[in-house]
């Protein structure tokens, strides 16, 4: 049976309102919120002309972000296909849902023991996609306020730092480099307008990824050495 869109919209609104009560966050992640979110996202993607389903997707995004601020709930999300739900949100509307998605992804990555799973579920690809389509896009920079772009660039790079430092295998770190994260880290590290705090995060990412011997040559070819030299002079 295909769920009625109007019902799903009401369900999504109810979940968003319930998530405002902090103690509900863990309970919601343990009792099927992500399954409901996935169902709404799947149907909304199939029926993009349905305005009520679009509203439901935005409620889902708001709920995911709210829940992600609660540590234990964020960890449960990361272990329960939370990265894939974030990816589905961005697939539906990357520009409009970018902030909620990036905040949730960064909060999940801050939890312990979730990094390998997040990489396997596509967190690195999400980073590259968000940077390409929104955070370093001239078109999107005209849509979002400058302050929001600056915040999201910091958060998405912080997410990378959590992943890179949390992974224990060299192969997984090497995979991050091969998937294309370095050019965006370098652009941010080299920009004169980048804050010192964000440059520190960029340094952390580069240091962690340089532990993968099979990608050091690629990092140098992409300009990592020049950026590291510049970072040495910041402060």
């Amino acid at each position: 049976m295909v769920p009625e869109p109007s019902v799903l919209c009401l369900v999504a609104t109810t979940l968003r309102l319930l998530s405002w009560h902090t103690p509900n966050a863990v309970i919601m992640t343990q009792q099927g919120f992500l399954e409901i979110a996935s169902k709404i996202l799947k149907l909304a993607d199939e029926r993009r002309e349905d305005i009520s389903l679009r509203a439901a997707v935005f409620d889902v995004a708001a709920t995911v972000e709210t829940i992600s601020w609660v540590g234990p709930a964020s960890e449960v999300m990361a272990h329960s296909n939370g990265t894939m739900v974030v990816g589905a949100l961005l697939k539906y509307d990357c520009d409009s849902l970018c902030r909620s998605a990036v905040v949730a992804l960064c909060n999940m990555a801050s939890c312990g023991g979730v990094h390998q799973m997040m990489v396997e579920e596509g967190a690195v690809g999400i980073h590259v996609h968000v940077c390409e389509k929104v955070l370093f896009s001239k078109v999107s920079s005209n849509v979002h306020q400058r302050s929001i772009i600056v915040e999201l660039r910091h958060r998405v790079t912080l997410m990378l730092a959590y992943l890179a430092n949390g992974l224990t295998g060299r192969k997984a770190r090497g995979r991050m480099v091969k998937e294309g994260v370095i050019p965006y880290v370098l652009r941010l590290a080299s920009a004169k307008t980048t804050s010192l705090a964000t440059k520190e995060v960029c340094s952390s990412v580069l240091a962690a990824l340089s532990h993968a011997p099979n990608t050091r040559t690629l990092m140098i070819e992409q300009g990592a050495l020049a950026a590291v030299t510049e970072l040495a002079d910041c402060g």
Side-chain angles (χ1 to χ4, degrees):
M1 179 181 295
V2 179
E4 175 61 38
S6 59
V7 174
L8 286 178
C9 188
L10 292 171
V11 167
T13 300
T14 303
L15 291 171
R16 174 173 58 81
L17 296 174
L18 289 175
S19 71
W20 292 354
H21 183 55
T22 301
N24 287 343
V26 175
I27 298 171
M28 289 172 66
T29 55
Q30 292 174 335
Q31 296 188 8
F33 162 66
L34 289 175
E35 287 82 358
I36 297 171
S38 296
K39 182 184 295 184
I40 291 171
L41 285 163
K42 183 176 183 297
L43 190 59
D45 190 49
E46 294 170 352
R47 303 183 185 181
R48 285 184 171 263
E49 73 288 347
D50 193 312
I51 297 176
S52 64
L53 283 173
R54 181 173 177 81
V57 170
F58 276 68
D59 278 338
V60 166
T63 306
V64 168
E65 179 184 352
T66 301
I67 288 177
S68 76
W69 287 108
V70 181
S74 190
E75 185 174 352
V76 173
M77 279 208 300
H79 283 292
S80 307
N81 300 321
T83 303
M84 296 176 71
V85 170
V86 169
L89 286 169
L90 292 169
K91 178 185 175 185
Y92 183 80
D93 190 336
C94 189
D95 264 330
S96 301
L97 301 176
C98 183
R99 188 185 184 283
S100 292
V102 168
V103 169
L105 205 64
C106 184
N107 287 342
M108 285 192 287
S110 71
C111 302
V114 302
H115 308 104
Q116 185 65 44
M117 179 173 293
M118 289 185 68
V119 169
E120 291 174 356
E121 291 186 358
V124 178
I126 289 174
H127 170 274
V128 173
H129 179 72
V130 168
C131 285
E132 178 185 353
K133 300 297 182 182
V134 180
L135 302 186
F136 292 93
S137 165
K138 291 182 179 180
V139 175
S140 291
S141 63
N142 294 327
V143 175
H144 297 283
Q145 293 181 359
R146 174 66 183 170
S147 59
I148 294 177
I149 292 292
V150 169
E151 176 202 354
L152 294 184
R153 284 177 176 174
H154 178 82
R155 286 190 183 279
V156 82
T157 309
L158 182 59
M159 182 271 292
L160 272 189
Y162 284 135
L163 293 180
N165 286 286
L167 293 169
T168 55
R170 293 177 175 180
K171 185 176 180 180
R173 285 173 172 161
R175 175 180 171 183
M176 291 179 67
V177 176
K178 291 177 180 177
E179 287 192 31
V181 302
I182 294 297
Y184 296 108
V185 176
L186 299 184
R187 285 180 65 176
L188 198 54
S190 302
K192 293 180 180 179
T193 55
T194 300
S195 69
L196 179 58
T198 303
K199 290 193 177 207
E200 288 176 352
V201 175
C202 292
S203 300
S204 177
V205 173
L206 294 172
L209 294 181
S210 65
H211 282 284
N214 60 329
T215 58
R216 289 170 187 159
T217 299
L218 179 58
M219 288 178 67
I220 293 293
E221 290 173 351
Q222 292 178 337
L225 186 56
V228 169
T229 303
E230 288 184 29
L231 286 169
D233 293 327
C234 74

